């Protein structure tokens, strides 16, 4: 999941949030009843995560799992401080673009032995997602709980009002751009599309669709300034230039997903992880449908997913490993799927996810997209260089700089991060 911009709260707030965070800080096992903590970020998945925790405790009565839920930006700032200070949760969610510093810093629990001893078949998980988390050190730090692809969420009522045909499965970039123009109605205060500065749900997809890449094959340099990558970025800046999208300032004031739910934008490119939230919104549920991403030179979407990982400093490593295998296993995947919380990573549980939201007839789109998916670029300290996107690309989105200039400057900045932290 993308899963929003990263903002740093004040240190005093972080310190307050750390209270009662974890029983970590050692490696001893009590041998009796224990409580382990499970850190997640807030959202529609929390009830399913609680059900998974309860199911695990039912099978393991001596191990209680306490869910620790925090808002997304707060989750990362608290985790960073907790991992360094010995107070991180025993188990927690991890993103591929965030894992490198924790792995290099020795802050993650190696679960290789548990996976081997329990005969866990890694073939049940998407290889692309597993590879995203591989740090090349021979260790396995977690297993995927879900998988992401991207598609176009659209508001049928706004299409109908504008007399515009619904997206076809084989539509192109040109079709998408023209559709967005037709759906834009300044008098009504509605736009055809939301075009935020978003790497995972946005311009990475079109860069790969244009035949480009973000990082070179050897992982040492950025190629985001190549002609193909520039074409992929221009796909989005053109939508802004057409005024078919709210401006970046407007999208900063109100997030794209919120504007879509409010009926202010007709199309929103994003992942399967929004399905349940949209489904639970009775005001918009009947109006929502999903279509494949438009095709550029070729079809492509980036893929990623959350992994369940453990803290190296936990006082209960064996209990934590046991929970991690359960939380990413088949039973937990089915709990996630049946709740509609997220598209699970475990092979064979996808249908249950779709069946949880029967009114959404085309969720298969996200599953079909796996066939043409490419791994999310996460080389080096990805969170650091991805966090620089606004500094270097905002001017292109705002029409104040050319895509070529913005991409060249961003490529130089990425290269410096890769050289320092690769």
């Amino acid at each position: 999941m993308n899963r929003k911009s990263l903002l740093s709260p004040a240190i005093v707030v972080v310190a307050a949030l750390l209270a009662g965070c974890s029983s970590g800080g050692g490696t001893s096992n009590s041998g009796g009843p224990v409580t382990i903590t499970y850190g997640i970020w807030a959202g529609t998945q929390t009830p399913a995560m609680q059900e998974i925790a309860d199911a695990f405790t039912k099978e393991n009565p001596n191990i209680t799992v306490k869910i620790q839920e925090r808002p997304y930006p707060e989750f990362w700032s608290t985790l960073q401080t907790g991992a360094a200070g010995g107070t991180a949760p025993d188990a927690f969610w991890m993103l591929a673009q965030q894992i490198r510093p924790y792995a290099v810093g020795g802050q993650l629990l190696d679960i290789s032995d548990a996976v081997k001893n329990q005969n866990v078949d890694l073939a049940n998980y998407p290889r692309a997602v597993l590879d995203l988390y591989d740090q090349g050190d021979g260790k396995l730090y977690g297993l995927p709980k879900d998988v992401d692809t991207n598609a176009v969420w659209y508001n049928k009522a706004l299409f109908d009002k504008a007399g515009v045909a619904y997206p076809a499965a084989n539509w192109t970039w040109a079709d998408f751009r023209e559709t967005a123009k037709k759906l834009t109605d300044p008098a009504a205060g509605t736009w055809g599309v939301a075009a935020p500065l978003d790497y995972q749900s946005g311009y990475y997809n079109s860069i790969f669709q244009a035949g480009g890449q973000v990082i070179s094959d050897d992982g040492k340099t950025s190629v985001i300034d190549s002609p193909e990558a520039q074409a992929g970025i221009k796909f989005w800046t053109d939508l802004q230039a057409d005024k078919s999208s709210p401006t970046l300032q407007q999208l900063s004031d109100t997030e794209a997903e919120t504007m879509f739910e409010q009926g202010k934008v007709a199309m929103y490119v994003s992942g399967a992880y929004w399905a349940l939230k949209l489904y639970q919104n009775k005001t918009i549920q009947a109006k929502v449908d999903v279509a494949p991403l438009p095709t550029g030179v070729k079809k492509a979407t980036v893929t990623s997913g959350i992994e369940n990982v453990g803290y190296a400093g936990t006082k209960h490593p064996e209990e934590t490993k046991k929970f991690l295998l359960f939380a990413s296993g088949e039973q937990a995947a089915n709990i996630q799927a049946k709740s509609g919380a997220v598209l699970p990573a475990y092979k064979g549980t996808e249908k249950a996810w779709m069946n949880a939201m029967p009114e959404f007839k085309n969720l298969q789109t996200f599953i079909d997209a796996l066939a043409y998916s490419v791994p999310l670029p996460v080389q080096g300290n990805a969170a650091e260089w991805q966090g620089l996107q606004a500094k270097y690309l905002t001017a292109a989105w705002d029409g104040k700089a050319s895509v070529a200039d913005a991409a060249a400057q961003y490529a130089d900045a990425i290269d410096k991060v890769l050289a320092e932290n690769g």
Side-chain angles (χ1 to χ4, degrees):
M1 244 180 225
N2 184 320
R3 311 145 139 132
K4 306 299 145 215
S5 59
L6 304 184
L7 305 174
S8 297
I11 296 299
V12 65
V13 176
V14 173
L17 289 168
L18 288 173
C21 187
S22 174
S23 56
T27 57
S28 63
N29 288 306
S30 66
V34 301
T35 296
I36 60 174
T37 49
Y38 183 32
I40 67 173
W41 50 82
T44 54
Q45 295 192 51
T46 302
M49 297 306 103
Q50 186 61 60
E51 188 175 348
I52 289 169
D54 293 343
F56 175 77
T57 298
K58 185 176 181 179
E59 289 190 6
N60 303 273
N62 284 340
I63 310 174
T64 299
V65 179
K66 181 181 179 181
I67 302 290
Q68 292 185 339
E69 178 192 64
R70 303 188 191 282
Y72 185 84
E74 198 174 281
F75 174 92
W76 293 108
S77 57
T78 304
L79 179 63
Q80 182 179 17
T81 306
T87 56
D90 300 291
F92 50 92
W93 286 358
M94 177 54 65
L95 292 178
Q97 57 266 48
Q98 296 281 352
I99 192 173
R100 186 61 177 272
Y102 295 95
V104 172
Q107 296 165 333
L108 299 179
L109 187 66
D110 183 2
I111 65 168
S112 303
D113 58 342
V115 167
K116 181 179 179 180
N117 293 339
Q118 295 302 314
N119 296 314
V120 175
D121 186 358
L122 297 181
N124 284 316
Y125 302 95
R127 173 48 59 183
V129 180
L130 286 169
D131 288 348
L132 283 176
Y133 289 89
D134 187 348
Q135 299 302 297
D137 56 7
K139 298 179 181 180
L140 186 64
Y141 295 113
L143 294 171
K145 65 172 285 295
D146 56 53
V147 62
D148 297 336
T149 59
N150 293 293
V152 181
W153 293 103
Y154 67 95
N155 186 317
K156 294 182 291 185
L158 293 179
F159 272 74
D160 293 342
K161 181 180 178 181
V164 177
Y166 297 157
N170 60 346
W171 62 337
T172 65
W173 282 10
D175 296 330
F176 186 94
R177 186 177 183 182
E178 188 61 28
T179 298
K181 289 179 181 179
K182 291 178 179 178
L183 290 165
T184 300
D185 185 351
T190 56
W191 292 267
V193 65
L197 183 50
D198 185 333
Y199 61 85
Q200 185 170 342
S201 296
Y203 63 92
Y204 280 8
N205 299 284
S206 48
I207 284 175
F208 285 108
Q209 289 165 5
Q213 295 176 227
V214 178
I215 305 296
S216 60
D217 289 335
D218 63 10
K220 296 181 179 179
T221 59
S222 171
V223 289
I224 202 168
D225 57 343
S226 71
E228 295 83 3
Q230 289 182 41
I233 293 172
K234 192 171 183 295
F235 171 85
W236 293 93
T237 60
D238 282 346
L239 296 171
Q240 285 286 347
D242 293 342
K243 299 189 185 303
S244 296
S245 166
T247 65
L248 286 190
Q249 182 58 57
Q250 289 169 318
L251 290 168
S252 175
D253 294 338
T254 307
E255 288 190 352
E257 188 276 333
T258 300
M259 295 188 83
F260 180 75
E261 286 199 81
Q262 293 173 343
K264 293 181 178 179
V265 297
M267 297 187 293
Y268 174 45
V269 178
S270 196
Y273 42 83
W274 287 117
L276 184 60
K277 190 171 190 290
L278 295 172
Y279 188 76
Q280 290 176 338
N281 186 336
K282 300 305 179 183
T283 301
I284 197 174
Q285 183 202 92
K287 304 173 185 177
V288 171
D289 207 342
V290 63
L293 295 178
T295 302
V297 174
K298 60 182 181 180
K299 296 177 75 68
T301 178
V302 293
T303 187
S304 184
I306 295 173
E307 273 208 344
N308 286 308
V309 302
Y311 177 45
T314 177
K315 290 182 179 178
H316 310 293
E318 298 309 314
E319 290 88 348
T320 298
K321 290 176 185 178
K322 195 169 188 177
F323 174 69
L324 291 173
L325 267 57
F326 182 90
S328 291
E330 185 175 13
Q331 183 177 345
N334 275 313
I335 290 172
Q336 289 185 103
K338 290 175 182 177
S339 73
V342 69
L343 177 58
Y346 200 92
K347 184 167 64 178
T349 60
E350 305 90 349
K351 288 290 185 182
W353 175 72
M354 291 190 294
N355 291 340
M357 296 168 284
E359 286 80 5
F360 284 1
K361 303 295 185 182
N362 292 306
L363 293 177
Q364 181 70 38
T365 300
F366 291 105
I367 299 167
D368 292 343
L370 288 168
Y372 51 86
S373 64
V374 294
L376 180 73
V378 294
Q379 290 85 347
N381 190 347
E384 182 177 351
W385 57 259
Q386 287 168 351
L388 297 173
Q389 65 172 1
K391 179 178 180 180
Y392 293 99
L393 298 182
T394 294
W397 256 250
D398 288 343
K400 297 178 180 178
S402 69
V403 168
D405 287 346
Q409 292 175 27
Y410 189 27
D412 288 343
I414 294 174
D415 286 348
K416 290 178 181 177
V417 175
L418 291 174
E420 293 170 359
N421 302 298

